[in-house]
């Protein structure tokens, strides 16, 4: 994958080596804990087990149970206590084991995490990162493949970001931990194990900016997390058919990078957004609405949404029919009159 | 809904030591450990024994085929047979069971065919059977949420004047969730005919009970709700069956809910994708192996002479038939219609779903044509 | 207010009398409980007190504590037990005292209420109505003025409706209670006390259909719940300026009545959606996106969103600056080139 | 975080009768009711008395101005002075208080100026003071949620080696929420220096405690978490202060959390917009009036001669000054900048909010012009 914005290799760069998203996240946590004594990590099974996806592997052993520990099994409890810790100057990083299991914490996240800074007129800051493995594609049974981003992005006070590759996974998580705003950090679980050569530590584009991954002139594909690969595949196939596809990795869902996306759409005059979540009221609706508001007179066709269906995420043997594919993207582009 | 609160007697407090009727050596325990509960008759013990053997054989076989990749995942209940079978045996036909992902053994024991019981974990559909056919709800994944469904169903039955009891399983870790608390409280306030069976198998995936609760026992939680609480040896099926049966009768006769903690052990990994060596050691596993619920009852029944060579041979045969049954079930190809994913989202049909269904239908049709070429 | 679809006055019609939305809802509950022994009502303070908005006033006294009762104070418990009751053949109607207090029930609503029918391949039906007084405008302190509709409309399996007048309040609640699907019934709390002459029992347009409240030719205003009045005010003011405004009361947020809305937009070629909730990822995004997808080549201008700002709902003395007004609607229409 | 679990002693069980040091008649109670707790010295009792009188005068005045429409709403704590003042008096300067909407009296007593304490209910802003200035968190509205914040803050202090204790108030109804359970459990497992003070004022708006819990006492809930639990007469400030102080010391010295239930009564309506005649009767209100916390301590201090005519006159004067202070505070016009609603949503500025801020600024400017014409 070619990054148009090459990551700036820092002075201390180690020789680049193949690393997975899970590995990069693990390294980011390790380096952040090492760098700042106020950083703590807790949640369900994040201690000795290292998390069900091994993202916290080895951290408890390395830093001890006062920096990385297993909490009781209660998501509201995890987020609620993290809020109290942050009020006392800590920087907690907590994990929701799977996205559907963040729902018990919904009140703590929407009514407190998102609002405490505003409520206290800026007196209280909550530098908390909530890590959520999200979306499907791993053959998980019910409740293990939800895409919950639309719930968070609609909630003022939250910042919502999602990496699609190991370099961003490291850089964006470090930036999220350093941020004084609460961050919902969505990790595309189907991509956890995809490897790339990266020299750590790495600093990529700012967490809140979108990145053009592939330049093109005919159409702009807007993707994030697990669907970035889908968009790139579609771009490859499209190229064979003589279609010049620009691919943008949104990276930040809230805030939305209107500038980068706007510039691209004004160039291509056509855009489509791709996500796994159900379409109705999904994040793609906001993308389509705001791109249309801002670029209406540049658009040659309506912004397309290539998404999951408006149904609960299906069982493992049927999920392939639910997930957006490169073929579906290209089929959708064909519905436009060119 | 509130009058029921009035005139209820003070709850039974959990005992100091776990209630136990048959010790690990197969011998009967002293009266203090029996806490006033009677040992069931030998025919009952024999049928509990038989169902535990079948239950374990079932789970061992399913775990094996899961390793062969036939199932998406499988959480085994091996080692917890006394809880799984003791609970199911205590329920009447009209009663309801609210199991978790851990309790497929109980689901199968209550009469669901292996093929149906395993459909969820095969990845065919979220639930593999009709809840109303067996009075068994979905094997809940969101922890502790099903306990509230049990309380609601039991309350509805009570309001309708039906003598129905709802039994829900909970794991030790699940007791930390807010929903567990709300279920205990609603059940007590509404005096709902519910029995909460907590299988304390010492772990929530990798997290030991010491990181989950600071209480003396999980059964002690009952006190805070004004419910009877029972602290039981969860590897003694005689005790589990007897205590749960008493709680079921109490509930049925309008004396409200009860909370029962069975001390047991999750012998297998959390699921096939888990690695217990990361968080527990061999010695601990061996210590619990010595308390095995099946071996214990077998010793007892051999001692009393109720379990003859012939009988155990029969049971062993039955177990092998069941195992073959399981292999057959998981090897059989299931016909799945992808379009069904749109059919049960709403009772009242939706245009947008019809459109999306047509879209997928067209996609599948053209894929057909492709492959025909 | 003139209903283009006049409510069909049933044979048993009583002489029409002035009644508030709260009163109409109370009457609907009373008639439903009377008509069907499986209907029960429970929640926080819905018994002797009659609810903090008095919507259940007198019901406990009239029908007894086995039909209408106060539950313990726990929203997940209320929804979770309602699910169990529905599994046993009851039709529970539960109240979340204020919208922000539905968040503790978020997991029960999204992971169970919305999915049980699908999960059981249609075997289990959950005819449950969750009544939620929503939105602001009543000078409520923090957490008492949220607009949570976008969270529910994005969740497959839920039906989300909201009345804007007493006749619909009665008719739609009766229809919701009779429905075999779970319904999120959003009650515009700032409109609870607005009265109109209605002859009860009344049957208005089907719950899931939008209704044209005012016909016009220049622009289509899409509103629901509390903003319907705002839209009608804007239409009146617009008329003075010679602007012919069509006003549609969406009534059903999920499903969305594409037909009624589409027909109107094809006629006016301009549309704007009005809601109190924050704009980013709000319900208006779905409205704008789907109207644009379906009517792109009829649209003379981008669909506008006149909404609350992307901030937590402000304190009572500042809420006036947050809420969309008729002036803001007209100002927004002025941003279009005509 | 788990080692702390090891080596912790068994919790103190709640007493049969509520712990009480000074009876309603002002007399000292028998040792069994004192449960080993010592009556505080008279200077302490006098200062508790003074603060209760001021607290009540404050609340009565605020309720009055609320009826005049000066406040958006106000939940009064009249009748609960022993809990409000007893808790605040037991806290050190570095300790933290996590109050609810009910506890403005406690907030004021801990040193927040009336104008700031009332800013939230005046509708100016969601919170009227800087939490760090007084070590008081927001007066939480979402029930029981603040209890988890208290546990988190106390845990952070413990991890940093600071001797800070967090005290959180909870209502009787709030104990039904899942968050209360999770807070109790996290606190016990982590042995966090937290004190939970449940003000059982008999009602959750209109819902009586009998519809909220079936437990003997709410203090009994502590048993299910392995926490000390104290069942206390919440109208005896001597008992509340003494028991809470002991719990605070325990927590500070690393012996973990405690749960304290104070039996009291909400004398006023839930808020000014509530109508208690719909759900409770006069007799009940009268019965509780006889147990009034201030009258009781007054009888006691007059009996001991510690409360002289002169002293009560001084306190009365002080109370009137405070009341005047309140009237002044709520009558003073506050300058609010509408544009501030955009300024604290994020630490890191957002373009979209800047745009929306400009939009409102332009709107306000043109409105200005309009009104100038
Ligand atoms: C609300 C929720 N949070 C997290 C999970 C992920 N999870 C699945 S099983 C499990 C451990 C449960 O432990 P326990 O309750 O003891 O049951 P056991 O697996 O031991 O039978 C966890 C954390 C979940 N399923 N639901
Ligand atoms: C999560 C949540 N649900 C509902 C409410 C609405 N509500 C506000 S106060 C109250 C009653 C609380 O009773 P209790 O906990 O006893 O405290 P009290 O008011 O008696 O001090 C309710 C139901 C709320 N604020 N938060
Ligand atoms: Mg367990
Ligand atoms: Mg109360």
């Amino acid at each position: 994958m070619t990054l148009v914005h090459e990551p700036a290799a820092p002075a201390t760069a180690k020789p680049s080596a193949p690393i997975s998203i899970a590995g990069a996240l693990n390294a980011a946590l390790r380096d952040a804990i090492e760098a700042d004594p106020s950083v703590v990590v807790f949640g369900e099974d994040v201690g000795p087990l290292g998390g069900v996806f091994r993202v916290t592997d080895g951290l408890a052993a390395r830093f001890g149970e006062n920096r990385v520990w297993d909490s009781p099994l209660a998501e509201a409890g995890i987020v609620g206590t993290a809020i109290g810790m942050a009020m006392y100057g800590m920087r907690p990083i907590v994990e929701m084991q799977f996205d559907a299991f963040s729902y018990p914490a919904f009140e703590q996240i929407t009514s407190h995490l998102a609002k405490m800074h505003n409520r206290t007129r800026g007196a209280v800051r909550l530098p908390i990162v909530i890590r959520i493995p999200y979306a499907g594609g791993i053959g998980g049974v019910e409740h293990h493949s939800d895409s919950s981003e639309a719930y968070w992005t609609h909630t003022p006070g939250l910042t919502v970001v999602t990496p699609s590759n190991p370099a961003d996974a490291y850089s964006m998580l470090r930036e999220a931990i350093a941020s004084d705003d609460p961050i919902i950090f969505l990790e595309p679980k189907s991509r956890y194990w995809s490897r790339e050569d990266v020299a750590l530590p790495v600093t990529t584009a700012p967490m809140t900016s979108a990145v053009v991954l592939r330049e093109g002139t005919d159409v702009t594909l807007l993707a994030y997390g697990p669907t970035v690969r889908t968009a790139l595949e579609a771009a490859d196939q499209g190229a064979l058919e003589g279609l010049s596809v620009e691919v943008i990795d949104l990276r930040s869902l809230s805030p939305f990078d209107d500038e980068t996306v706007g510039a691209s759409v004004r160039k291509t005059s056509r855009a489509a957004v791709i996500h796994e979540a159900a379409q109705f009221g999904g994040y793609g609706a906001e993308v389509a609405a705001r791109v249309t508001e801002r670029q209406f007179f540049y658009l040659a066709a309506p912004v397309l949404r290539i998404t999951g269906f408006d149904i609960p995420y299906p069982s493992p043997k049927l999920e392939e029919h639910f997930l957006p594919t490169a073929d579906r993207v290209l089929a959708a582009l064909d519905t436009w009159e060119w | 809904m509130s009058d029921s609160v009035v005139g209820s007697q003070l709850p039974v407090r959990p005992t100091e030591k776990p209630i136990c009727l048959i010790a690990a050596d197969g011998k009967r325990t002293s009266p203090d450990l029996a806490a006033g509960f009677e040992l069931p008759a030998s025919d009952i013990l024999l049928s509990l024994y038989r169902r535990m053997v079948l239950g374990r054989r079932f789970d061992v076989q399913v775990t094996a085929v899961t390793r062969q990749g036939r199932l998406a995942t499988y959480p085994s209940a091996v080692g917890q047979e006394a809880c799984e079978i003791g609970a199911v045996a205590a329920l009447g036909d009209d009663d309801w069971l609210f199991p978790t992902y851990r309790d497929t053994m109980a689901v199968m024991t209550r009469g669901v065919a292996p093929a149906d019981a395993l459909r969820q974990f095969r990845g065919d559909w979220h639930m593999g059977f009709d809840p109303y056919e067996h009075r068994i709800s979905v094997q809940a994944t969101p922890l502790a949420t099903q306990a509230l469904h049990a309380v609601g169903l039991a309350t509805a039955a009570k309001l309708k004047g039906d003598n129905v009891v709802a039994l829900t399983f909970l794991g030790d870790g699940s007791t930390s969730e807010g929903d567990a608390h709300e279920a205990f409280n609603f059940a007590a306030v509404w005096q709902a005919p519910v029995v909460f069976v907590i299988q304390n198998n010492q772990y929530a995936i990798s997290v030991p009970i010491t990181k989950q609760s600071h209480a003396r026992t999980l059964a002690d939680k009952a006190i805070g709700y004004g419910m009877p609480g029972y602290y039981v040896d969860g590897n003694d099926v005689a005790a589990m069956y007897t205590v749960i049966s008493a709680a079921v009768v109490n509930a049925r006769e309008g004396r409200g809910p009860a909370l029962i903690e069975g001390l047991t052990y999750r012998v297998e990994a959390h699921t096939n994708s888990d690695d217990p060596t990361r968080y527990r050691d061999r010695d601990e596993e061996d210590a619990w192996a010595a308390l095995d619920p099946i071996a214990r009852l077998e010793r007892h029944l051999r001692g009393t002479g109720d379990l003859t060579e012939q009988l155990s041979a029969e049971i062993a045969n039955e177990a092998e038939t069941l195992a073959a049954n399981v292999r057959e079930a998981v090897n059989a190809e299931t016909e799945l219609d992808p379009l069904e994913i749109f059919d049960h989202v709403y009772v009242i049909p939706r245009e947008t779903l019809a459109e999306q269904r047509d879209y997928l239908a067209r996609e599948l049709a053209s894929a057909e044509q492709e492959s025909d070429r």
Side-chain angles (χ1 to χ4, degrees), chain A, chain B:
Chain A
M1 186 176 82
T2 49
L3 275 176
V4 172
H5 300 247
E6 274 304 334
T12 65
K14 306 189 185 63
S16 88
I19 187 164
S20 68
I21 287 183
L25 294 169
N26 180 265
L29 292 170
R30 182 200 62 216
D31 294 353
I33 298 169
E34 214 142 40
D36 182 347
S38 64
V39 171
V40 293
V41 173
F42 66 99
E44 297 157 9
D45 303 290
V46 299
L49 182 63
V52 294
F53 292 108
R54 303 294 184 266
V55 170
T56 57
D57 189 20
L59 299 178
R62 177 167 183 160
F63 298 103
E65 293 241 322
N66 285 346
R67 299 296 300 280
V68 181
W69 70 89
D70 291 322
S71 72
L73 207 175
E75 293 76 13
I78 290 165
V79 174
T81 52
I83 289 170
M85 290 183 201
M87 287 178 70
Y88 201 78
M90 295 205 144
R91 308 183 84 85
I93 306 164
V94 298
E95 173 178 301
M96 305 279 104
Q97 202 160 76
F98 287 86
D99 25 31
F101 307 142
S102 64
Y103 301 159
F106 196 79
E107 180 186 34
Q108 285 288 350
I109 294 173
T110 54
S111 292
H112 287 303
L113 185 68
K115 296 184 171 75
M116 191 68 82
H117 186 64
N118 180 70
R119 170 185 301 138
T120 60
R121 285 182 129 149
V124 173
R125 296 181 171 197
L126 297 181
I128 293 170
V129 177
I130 300 187
R131 295 181 37 246
I132 309 181
Y134 82 119
I138 62 162
V141 293
E142 199 186 20
H143 307 293
H144 289 73
S145 303
D146 283 22
S147 290
S148 55
E149 65 270 24
Y151 298 136
W152 314 127
T153 51
H154 178 53
T155 305
L158 297 179
T159 296
V160 185
V161 301
T162 177
S164 70
N165 61 73
D168 276 347
Y170 180 92
S171 183
M172 291 169 71
L173 184 51
R174 287 304 300 273
E175 191 177 345
I177 296 167
S179 169
D180 276 349
D181 281 319
I183 312 284
I184 304 292
F185 196 88
L186 299 172
E187 303 172 357
K189 58 174 96 77
S190 63
R191 308 274 288 127
Y192 265 137
W193 303 278
S194 66
R195 299 172 155 276
E196 271 168 37
D197 277 8
V198 183
L200 295 181
V202 64
T203 304
T204 62
M207 177 178 75
T208 53
S209 64
V211 165
V212 177
L213 293 183
R214 178 83 56 94
E215 288 184 334
T217 54
D218 297 337
V219 56
T220 302
L221 291 185
L222 303 167
Y224 56 91
T227 60
V228 169
R229 178 173 53 185
T230 315
L232 290 166
E233 285 168 15
D236 291 338
Q237 292 183 34
L240 303 177
E241 302 165 17
L243 194 68
S244 171
V245 178
E246 182 144 304
V247 176
I248 293 182
D249 181 350
L250 292 176
R251 300 169 82 249
S252 176
L253 305 187
S254 176
F256 181 87
D257 185 346
D258 289 299
E259 197 180 319
T260 303
V261 172
S264 174
V265 172
R266 286 193 296 276
K267 177 178 71 175
T268 62
S269 79
R270 292 169 188 268
V273 55
I274 313 169
H275 62 62
E276 287 188 15
Q279 178 166 104
F280 196 88
Y283 184 70
E286 177 60 33
V287 174
R290 69 193 296 116
V291 167
T292 306
E293 280 163 359
R294 288 162 173 71
Q295 317 302 339
F296 186 76
F297 296 102
Y298 290 91
L299 285 173
V303 177
L304 290 173
R305 295 184 283 170
I306 300 104
T307 70
F309 299 119
D310 293 321
I311 63 175
Y313 195 90
S315 55
K317 287 192 184 155
L318 296 171
E319 70 179 339
E320 60 172 307
H321 303 291
F322 178 87
L323 295 169
T325 59
D327 288 346
R328 280 188 187 169
V329 173
L330 293 168
L333 302 187
D334 279 343
T335 63
W336 279 330
E337 291 142 30
W338 288 82
Chain B
M1 295 299 299
S2 57
D3 310 7
S4 52
V5 173
V6 183
S8 65
Q9 78 282 69
L10 261 190
V12 176
R13 294 248 169 159
T15 47
E16 262 309 310
K17 299 211 188 94
I19 297 170
C20 182
L21 301 179
I22 299 177
D25 60 7
K27 302 235 162 38
R28 294 194 53 169
T29 57
S30 51
D32 63 315
L33 285 179
F37 288 98
E38 295 287 333
L39 186 70
S42 59
D43 60 332
I44 292 177
L45 290 179
L46 278 173
S47 93
L48 290 170
Y49 173 76
R50 176 179 148 274
R51 290 194 259 183
M52 287 203 294
V53 171
L54 295 178
R56 176 169 296 183
R57 187 66 188 89
F58 173 82
D59 248 32
V60 167
Q61 182 62 71
V62 176
T63 302
V65 297
T66 305
R67 289 215 186 79
Q68 297 157 20
R70 295 243 172 258
L71 269 64
T73 182
Y74 189 70
S76 162
V78 165
Q80 305 177 210
E81 293 84 358
C83 299
E84 297 277 316
I85 277 49
V88 170
L91 287 179
D93 217 35
D94 295 341
D95 297 330
W96 273 75
L97 176 67
F98 288 77
T100 77
Y101 53 87
R102 175 75 56 208
D103 310 309
T104 315
M105 185 192 291
V107 168
M108 183 276 298
T109 302
R110 189 161 162 86
V112 178
D116 298 335
L118 295 172
R119 184 162 288 121
Q120 175 183 16
F121 293 116
R122 287 192 69 184
D124 292 358
W125 199 270
H126 309 297
M127 188 174 188
F129 54 92
D130 179 344
Y132 294 111
E133 191 185 333
H134 305 276
R135 274 123 1 252
I136 303 175
S137 188
V138 59
Q139 288 181 253
T141 297
L143 298 168
T145 54
Q146 78 285 354
L148 283 163
H149 307 163
V151 174
L153 184 136
T155 301
K158 180 185 175 183
L159 287 170
K160 291 190 174 191
D162 299 348
N163 279 330
V164 170
V165 173
L167 183 150
T168 182
F169 283 118
L170 285 162
D172 46 313
S174 306
T175 62
S176 296
E177 290 280 6
D179 279 19
H181 165 71
E182 297 185 16
F184 298 156
N185 192 50
F186 274 66
V189 171
W190 291 352
Q191 288 294 289
V194 182
V195 177
F196 300 100
V197 176
I198 300 172
Q199 298 191 59
N200 179 355
N201 63 5
Q202 310 305 317
Y203 287 92
I205 303 186
S206 71
V207 182
I209 183 70
T210 51
K211 293 183 181 179
Q212 207 67 249
S213 173
H214 192 57
R216 183 187 70 94
T217 73
L218 295 174
D220 276 5
K221 293 187 177 297
I223 299 165
Y225 303 95
M227 247 196 292
Y230 302 93
Y231 180 45
V232 185
D233 181 334
N235 280 4
D236 174 11
V237 72
M240 285 304 289
Y241 167 78
T242 308
V243 173
I244 295 174
S245 298
V248 167
V249 170
N250 258 303
R252 202 186 304 289
E253 293 177 355
R255 288 190 295 278
L259 187 153
I260 295 156
E261 173 186 13
L263 279 176
T264 182
Y265 196 70
R266 193 197 73 213
V267 169
E268 290 285 338
H270 172 69
T271 68
N272 48 297
S273 54
D274 177 37
D275 171 13
T277 63
R278 286 174 163 256
Y279 54 83
R280 70 186 194 190
D281 59 27
R282 193 56 199 273
D283 300 358
E284 179 186 290
E285 295 177 5
D286 295 345
W288 277 95
L291 305 175
D292 186 78
I294 297 181
R296 168 189 314 209
L297 185 54
E298 181 158 349
R299 284 193 202 94
H300 177 79
L301 290 171
R302 290 211 183 279
T304 58
D306 293 306
L307 183 63
T308 61
E309 284 309 328
Q310 191 205 339
L311 190 48
S312 37
E314 278 171 31
I315 296 174
N317 284 335
E318 205 181 341
E320 286 319 309
T321 316
L322 176 60
N325 199 325
V326 168
R327 287 190 298 272
E328 193 185 316
V330 298
N331 291 332
E333 264 325 307
T334 43
E335 261 312 317
L336 284 176
D337 175 8
L339 297 178
E340 190 183 349
I341 61 179
F342 298 99
D343 296 350
H344 315 296
V345 183
Y346 298 95
V347 175
I348 299 161
R350 284 205 177 188
E351 222 167 275
T352 47
L353 287 195
E355 290 167 10
Q356 294 176 10
R357 194 178 195 280
D358 293 345
Y359 172 92
L360 179 57
R362 284 194 305 277
E363 195 180 67
L364 293 167
S366 58
E368 279 276 314
Q369 290 175 356
E370 291 295 321
S371 58
D372 290 355
R373 291 209 194 82

